Amino acid sequence: MEKTVQIENAKKFIEYLETKSTAMSDSLYRNPVLQYTCPERLAHEKEQLFGGYPLHLAFSCEIPEPGDFRTDDFSGVPILLVRGADGKANAFLNVCRHRGAPVAEGCGKGQRGFICPYHAWVYGTDGALNYIPGEDGFEALDKATHGLRRLPVQEKYGMIWAKTAPGEDFEIDDTLQGVEHDLAAYGFEGFHHFETGVLRPKMNWKLVIDTFLESYHIKVLHHKSIASLIESNVATFEAFGINQRGIYVRKNFDELRAKPESDWNILPYTTMVYVLFPNTVLVVQQEQIETWRVYPDGDDPNAAKMHISLYTPERPTTESATRHWRNNMDLLMKVVDEEDFTLGEKMQFGFRSPAQEHLTFGRNEPALAHFHGSLDRMLAVAAE
Ligand code: FES
Ligand SMILES: [Fe+2]
């Protein structure tokens, strides 16, 4: 985050803490409960959002060298991300052009190509079909048009995005709509991938994202864990088109106030929560970066799945550094899973009852209103 933006936010926090206030939207927002439970709405979201927008799939550091690859099925199609010999990130549908077997599994390093596990057709890291065993049987087949199907992909700011269907290339800044200035300033290119975990709560995928979007609940739901670290109901909020940034302030903020303005660096005193439209929550927390890439789990509006990745400023080289990051990874998974998602699953259960037709987002919950407003707006645009 740029220095001027840090100072601007620090000043807002000084005001909010002195006046016991927080960023406010103009009015209450009523969000239909059906949006969390309706199979038709989910089908629409899957088609328009997960099928239409570039999705953030990985940090560059997850495939740093040529031949490094990872597969990802969470978007609903099997994706193979691999760094080519030319150093560029490629994305393909992980589907053999012979009879459809996945050509790669999991992740790996320094692969020169991919040998399909069914009949051993061989593909390069550029997706080209290089070799067919028993080629006599396929004389009439044009190898040049039977490479892995390429997906539009872009690598920028140390992050990788891809679309889930073949088509035109995209420019990710068109989707980031201004939030890229923050991303560029963090220098993710130099980060290290510590670990990725998976959670599959019985909650709508949007309800998963909602849990990150206000600090109003911290002293109540998290009274035994992070309430001692983060102020409740004190946050700044900024929209970047369909994306957004909320910043929560930590209880050590007075240390920053004691410093001259020119030395203000808000990172040690805040937790930044971005939504990168449509489904990625990016958390910048002191030195660590987390991403929560959240998807619907199949066709069930009551179920989500997500990849949770932790990135560190450098590769841990000592046992104590590894232990430190391991504890952080365990803590973040535990707090969210045991506190937010345990309650979220009960909320999802209640959504299916006739209790009410709308949830109410307070004026002090502007990030929730913006997230759902953006989704509704983009789905409506797609329906026109
Ligand atoms: S399905 Fe891949 S080689 Fe046959
Ligand atoms: Fe929470």
Side-chain angles (χ1 to χ4, degrees):
M1 177 185 279
E2 289 158 359
K3 193 80 182 170
T4 49
V5 185
Q6 295 197 40
I7 292 174
E8 204 178 286
N9 277 279
K11 287 183 173 167
K12 280 190 196 164
F13 281 128
I14 290 170
E15 182 203 324
Y16 291 160
L17 289 166
E18 275 173 6
T19 57
K20 296 201 183 341
S21 60
T22 184
M24 294 268 188
S25 51
D26 294 337
S27 53
L28 289 177
Y29 185 103
R30 297 197 187 283
N31 199 40
V33 176
L34 258 184
Q35 295 193 354
Y36 297 94
T37 58
C38 171
E40 287 79 38
R41 162 83 184 204
L42 181 69
H44 200 30
E45 291 170 348
K46 285 176 75 167
E47 188 186 331
Q48 302 301 341
L49 304 175
F50 294 91
Y53 281 84
L55 303 178
H56 164 56
L57 293 182
F59 269 35
S60 302
C61 59
E62 289 172 75
I63 52 166
E65 303 293 336
D68 294 354
F69 75 94
R70 59 183 299 265
T71 61
D72 190 331
D73 297 345
F74 271 21
S75 67
V77 294
I79 296 175
L80 167 60
L81 275 182
V82 56
R83 193 167 299 283
D86 58 359
K88 294 207 172 100
N90 294 313
F92 303 107
L93 288 170
N94 184 18
V95 175
C96 178
R97 297 299 301 282
H98 176 217
R99 282 172 50 205
V103 302
E105 289 283 348
C107 56
K109 300 192 94 36
Q111 197 91 357
R112 285 173 54 204
F114 300 94
I115 304 175
C116 179
Y118 203 174
H119 312 89
W121 285 26
V122 179
Y123 299 89
T125 55
D126 59 355
L129 173 57
N130 289 334
Y131 179 67
I132 298 178
E135 200 163 355
D136 290 357
F138 296 89
E139 255 169 22
L141 180 135
D142 179 11
K143 287 221 288 282
T145 59
H146 283 74
L148 296 172
R149 289 302 299 280
R150 184 174 284 278
L151 298 172
V153 66
Q154 192 177 19
E155 181 169 32
K156 217 168 177 182
Y157 315 117
M159 303 172 80
I160 300 171
W161 286 264
K163 285 195 173 190
T164 57
E168 298 281 299
D169 284 341
F170 59 87
E171 171 49 58
I172 194 60
D173 290 355
D174 295 343
T175 308
L176 293 175
Q177 302 179 356
V179 76
E180 66 271 19
H181 302 297
D182 277 22
L183 302 185
Y186 289 122
F188 295 150
E189 292 86 351
F191 273 66
H192 166 74
H193 174 232
F194 183 73
E195 193 172 284
T196 293
V198 170
L199 288 174
R200 301 181 98 113
K202 293 288 178 207
M203 294 158 67
N204 184 269
W205 70 276
K206 301 185 295 298
L207 182 59
V208 169
I209 293 181
D210 290 354
T211 63
F212 292 90
L213 300 189
E214 37 80 18
S215 64
Y216 179 37
H217 72 287
I218 287 183
K219 79 172 171 204
V220 186
L221 183 62
H222 299 308
H223 65 279
K224 287 195 185 132
S225 55
I226 55 172
S228 59
L229 302 173
I230 298 176
E231 295 280 356
S232 275
N233 211 21
V234 182
T236 63
F237 175 74
E238 186 84 29
F240 300 91
I242 50 180
N243 308 284
Q244 60 192 82
R245 178 191 66 215
I247 311 182
Y248 307 141
V249 63
R250 299 173 83 92
K251 294 209 165 172
N252 59 354
F253 187 72
D254 275 350
E255 291 171 21
L256 176 134
R257 294 186 70 171
K259 295 180 184 175
E261 189 177 306
S262 53
D263 289 349
W264 283 358
N265 165 15
I266 65 170
L267 264 77
Y269 309 107
T270 54
T271 294
M272 322 236 182
V273 176
Y274 296 85
V275 178
L276 305 180
F277 194 86
N279 71 323
T280 296
V281 177
L282 168 75
V283 181
V284 179
Q285 189 133 232
Q286 300 187 315
E287 285 197 297
Q288 77 187 33
I289 309 296
E290 302 154 29
T291 58
W292 299 71
R293 292 181 288 114
V294 188
Y295 299 87
D297 199 354
D299 294 325
D300 183 359
N302 305 292
K305 58 190 174 185
M306 73 206 76
H307 283 124
I308 303 119
S309 298
L310 176 67
Y311 306 94
T312 60
E314 56 216 17
R315 180 187 296 277
T317 50
T318 62
E319 219 173 275
S320 76
T322 305
R323 205 176 319 119
H324 168 77
W325 295 117
R326 156 107 350 268
N327 286 342
N328 285 13
M329 179 79 188
D330 291 348
L331 181 70
L332 73 94
M333 296 271 283
K334 191 174 143 79
V335 168
V336 172
D337 194 25
E338 292 182 6
E339 298 179 7
D340 295 283
F341 292 172
T342 298
L343 188 67
E345 291 189 339
K346 292 175 184 166
M347 290 161 67
Q348 186 73 35
F349 179 62
F351 290 169
R352 305 205 291 276
S353 78
Q356 57 186 349
E357 288 176 0
H358 295 88
L359 306 181
T360 304
F361 301 150
R363 291 181 54 228
N364 59 330
E365 301 175 298
L368 286 168
H370 185 266
F371 174 53
H372 287 272
S374 299
L375 292 171
D376 289 355
R377 212 168 57 247
M378 298 325 284
L379 287 169
V381 168
E384 275 168 11

